[in-house]
Amino acid sequence: MYSHLLVTLDGTSRSEVVLAHAVEIARGMGASITLLRVVDAVNAEWSERGAIGRGESDAGADSPFTEQARVYLSRIAEQARSAGVKVDAVVKQGHPARQIIATAKETDADAIAMATHSRRGLNRIVFGSVAEQVIHETSLPVLLIRAG
């Protein structure tokens, strides 16, 4: 049913709960995975702590956190490969929801898998919900795993 999953990670261990599910689906269906880490260059300090910022970035200029994100994804990709899944990793800069949707199109993903932090109240108002934005703006199936 699926041949390629886009798995989004925000650099936190909470976001990694989606990995076990995505790897199991990919193994069972013979699918590949693209891991995506979006670095919000404008709000990179917030983004690296797990909160997603709202700013736009200059797509041509690497954030100081881009290399850190690449190293992080390399480690995660190796874990998935050891489970027998073909994995690629991509680091993008900019608005997280927009970059997730764009990367899904660029990589011909059949589905998007991501963890949701279930923010409520003021945190939801301030930071928004990336998962909610992705669901509303894509036609692809979205697997949401609640970060515990």
Side-chain angles (χ1 to χ4, degrees):
M1 179 173 222
Y2 300 116
S3 62
H4 188 178
L5 302 174
L6 177 66
V7 178
T8 68
L9 300 166
D10 69 7
T12 65
S13 59
R14 289 174 53 106
S15 72
E16 294 171 21
V17 301
V18 72
L19 287 170
H21 298 274
V23 166
E24 198 60 37
I25 291 168
R27 270 195 343 203
M29 295 187 169
S32 62
I33 290 176
T34 295
L35 299 175
L36 172 64
R37 170 73 176 96
V38 179
V39 175
D40 182 344
V42 172
N43 296 302
E45 179 182 5
W46 287 95
S47 182
E48 291 304 310
R49 290 192 312 222
I52 303 299
R54 293 185 152 176
E56 291 299 321
S57 67
D58 178 358
D62 273 353
S63 157
F65 298 104
T66 301
E67 184 57 29
Q68 179 183 358
R70 285 187 184 112
V71 170
Y72 166 75
L73 284 185
S74 177
R75 178 179 55 80
I76 299 297
E78 201 49 50
Q79 292 173 7
R81 284 186 194 107
S82 70
V85 176
K86 182 181 180 287
V87 180
D88 291 315
V90 177
V91 175
K92 296 281 184 113
Q93 290 186 77
H95 184 276
R98 288 188 205 125
Q99 289 298 331
I100 290 166
I101 293 164
T103 304
K105 289 177 185 172
E106 291 167 10
T107 62
D108 292 322
D110 301 306
I112 300 169
M114 59 194 306
T116 179
H117 295 290
S118 300
R119 289 189 182 95
R120 299 197 193 304
L122 186 58
N123 277 341
R124 186 178 185 103
I125 291 168
V126 172
F127 298 117
S129 170
V130 173
E132 186 175 2
Q133 291 173 29
V134 169
I135 289 169
H136 289 292
E137 295 179 27
T138 188
S139 60
L140 294 175
V142 179
L143 171 66
L144 292 177
I145 303 298
R146 188 174 186 173

